[in-house]
Amino acid sequence: MTTVEVPHGSRSVVLRVAAVIAETADTNSLVFDVPDELREKFEYKPGQFLTLRIPSDRTGSVARCYSLASSPHTDDQPKVTVKRTEGGYGSNWVCDNVKAGDQIEVLPPSGVFTLKNLDEDLLLFGAGSGITPVMSILKSALARGTGKIVLVYANRDAETVIFANELRELVDKHQQRLVVIHWLEPLLGLPTADTLATLVAPYTGYEAFMCGPKPFMDRVHDALGRLGVPRSRTHAEVFNSLAGDPFADQAPVEVSDEEAADAATVEVELDGEVHELSWPRKQTLVDIMLAKGLDVPYSCQEGECGSCACTVLEGKVEMENSEILDPEDIENGYILGCQARPVTDRLRIQF
Ligand SMILES: Cc1cc2nc3c(=O)[nH]c(=O)nc-3n(C[C@H](O)[C@H](O)[C@H](O)COP(=O)(O)OP(=O)(O)OC[C@H]3O[C@@H](n4cnc5c(N)ncnc54)[C@H](O)[C@@H]3O)c2cc1C
């Protein structure tokens, strides 16, 4: 039994696990109770994730992100789905230890892998545990949207298919709108860019979302690229583990008079409001927005989760770590606010 009485930082809360669902032999879902006073804080968009604080004797804790597999439009309670990573610490800890009634410290929903228009026709790709955010998007679009949906879902074998029954029921219920293509390795081998391109060629006008291991995503990107699907219509969620501690409150950053005098100026648009801020060169965009009390979206602060992605409309930044962004994203002005420091004197940035 895990109990956590008090959250470790001002952004996190402690939630009770209402139920644990064994989805497959190596995957468990955790369903959370969200008390009324936290309902607003835990409103989420299909495709977003929660960050869990997982206890560790060695390091005190580790932080791990898990996508919400539930839909805000069809499920009363948020649910994350955790697949064991071989030799991994956090995922095995969750699957071995968490029981109904336990308490877990979490950060509120975050992430930009979300569906803006529920009525779009959707071409979805999921592999293994990468189905989780895709499932939330799929269920939401079926419940509230009007478009057609094609899901290509790759797995090692039939036993490891997460949400197999739920998908079958959804296909039965939405026969005119949903097609699910199960790509099982023992039958078809690993998907290649060629075979994927042939498979999805009829759906190039659809908005594409993908999540899965890197080699799978590389092939999907390649296939869509060959078919001429514009990068602006493809969205990818990268799964990796956080190294730092996003639960700890951030100490205010000291700025010397010299640094203040040399600061850049940024006009940053957040939730439709424009704020003009002074941006000392050594600070990140997230740092300066937090210092001004703005509700900037962020989580890991390491350039690994993508929560703070935003677009540079004018000016230039440099980033210490931008690995999760594709070169095309960067060309299109996408940056990570937690990694961005100003290069030019004036900038305009939009969240
Ligand atoms: C946005 C996002 C969404 C995600 N969504 C999902 C999802 O829906 N489902 C899913 O299954 N995964 C998801 N992931 C991946 C997930 O966050 C983890 O990366 C994954 O579960 C593997 O974590 P792990 O700790 O088991 O493995 P690893 O990260 O590989 O574990 C090994 C690491 O743990 C350290 N370690 C080992 N033992 C200890 C110890 N005792 N104490 C402290 N550290 C130790 C090691 O040094 C090593 O760094 C998502 C990731 C992101 C970024």
Side-chain angles (χ1 to χ4, degrees):
M1 164 73 125
T2 40
T3 43
V4 189
E5 309 269 296
V6 191
H8 285 81
S10 56
R11 292 196 303 140
S12 56
V13 300
V14 176
L15 292 185
R16 182 180 167 277
V17 176
V20 175
I21 304 166
E23 305 283 0
T24 67
D26 63 359
T27 304
N28 283 359
S29 289
L30 313 183
V31 181
F32 292 104
D33 265 340
V34 178
D36 286 346
E37 65 273 18
L38 291 176
R39 284 256 157 207
E40 200 178 324
K41 200 170 186 172
F42 274 79
E43 275 174 10
Y44 62 97
K45 300 190 189 111
Q48 288 196 307
F49 62 88
L50 299 181
T51 306
L52 274 53
R53 187 173 190 274
I54 296 167
S56 155
D57 290 342
R58 206 171 88 190
T59 56
S61 67
V62 296
R64 295 287 182 263
C65 306
Y66 291 104
S67 300
L68 289 146
S70 49
S71 159
H73 302 293
T74 60
D75 299 298
D76 288 340
Q77 292 166 303
K79 174 178 89 174
V80 297
T81 300
V82 182
K83 178 168 178 161
R84 289 180 191 270
T85 295
E86 209 182 318
Y89 175 69
S91 58
N92 287 294
W93 191 93
V94 169
C95 291
D96 288 336
N97 293 287
V98 180
K99 309 272 174 298
D102 285 357
Q103 292 182 319
I104 299 195
E105 187 172 346
V106 303
L107 290 171
S110 196
V112 291
F113 182 70
T114 59
L115 182 56
K116 304 234 159 36
N117 177 0
L118 288 166
D119 293 321
E120 283 281 358
D121 291 332
L122 300 174
L123 177 55
L124 307 176
F125 297 89
S129 59
I131 191 64
T132 51
V134 169
M135 191 70 181
S136 181
I137 289 171
L138 181 149
K139 290 202 290 182
S140 304
L142 284 175
R144 288 295 164 89
T146 50
K148 296 205 184 307
I149 304 173
V150 175
L151 166 65
V152 180
Y153 184 15
N155 276 287
R156 250 189 349 254
D157 52 45
E159 284 66 47
T160 57
V161 178
I162 308 169
F163 310 132
N165 291 338
E166 201 176 348
L167 282 168
R168 200 175 311 125
E169 282 166 19
L170 288 169
V171 170
D172 275 350
K173 195 167 161 200
H174 300 275
Q175 297 188 6
Q176 306 298 319
R177 292 184 57 205
L178 174 64
V179 173
V180 176
I181 301 164
H182 283 285
W183 188 293
L184 298 179
E185 245 181 81
L187 301 179
L188 299 173
L190 286 170
T192 64
D194 276 339
T195 46
L196 286 170
T198 308
L199 186 66
V200 304
Y203 313 112
T204 49
Y206 289 24
E207 184 102 4
F209 288 81
M210 67 186 84
C211 184
K214 190 171 181 308
F216 173 78
M217 303 246 272
D218 286 346
R219 285 172 201 153
V220 176
H221 268 309
D222 201 356
L224 296 180
R226 287 182 204 185
L227 294 169
V229 177
R231 283 305 284 247
S232 57
R233 287 183 59 84
T234 66
H235 311 271
E237 182 73 310
V238 178
F239 278 5
N240 51 25
S241 292
L242 306 187
D245 181 7
F247 288 85
D249 279 336
Q250 200 179 330
V253 190
E254 303 283 327
V255 182
S256 67
D257 291 348
E258 207 178 306
E259 282 166 347
D262 179 43
T265 305
V266 60
E267 264 181 30
V268 58
E269 187 182 328
L270 177 69
D271 299 328
E273 264 185 58
V274 178
H275 309 267
E276 184 167 303
L277 306 177
S278 163
W279 191 353
R281 311 265 166 188
K282 286 190 189 150
Q283 295 198 16
T284 69
L285 182 60
V286 167
D287 288 339
I288 62 161
M289 292 179 72
L290 287 177
K292 280 283 167 201
L294 297 174
D295 193 15
V296 52
Y298 77 102
S299 183
C300 74
Q301 295 262 60
E302 294 162 14
E304 286 173 353
C305 74
S307 302
C308 58
C310 50
T311 311
V312 176
L313 304 175
E314 185 188 322
K316 198 166 176 241
V317 302
E318 58 190 5
M319 287 184 278
E320 209 164 291
N321 175 11
S322 58
E323 265 173 38
I324 67 159
L325 297 178
D326 296 319
E328 291 88 345
D329 292 336
I330 294 175
E331 255 170 52
N332 289 334
Y334 248 161
I335 61 161
L336 299 172
C338 75
Q339 298 296 300
R341 293 181 170 82
V343 173
T344 49
D345 291 339
R346 281 201 72 82
L347 301 99
R348 271 197 314 128
I349 292 178
Q350 187 179 47
F351 277 86

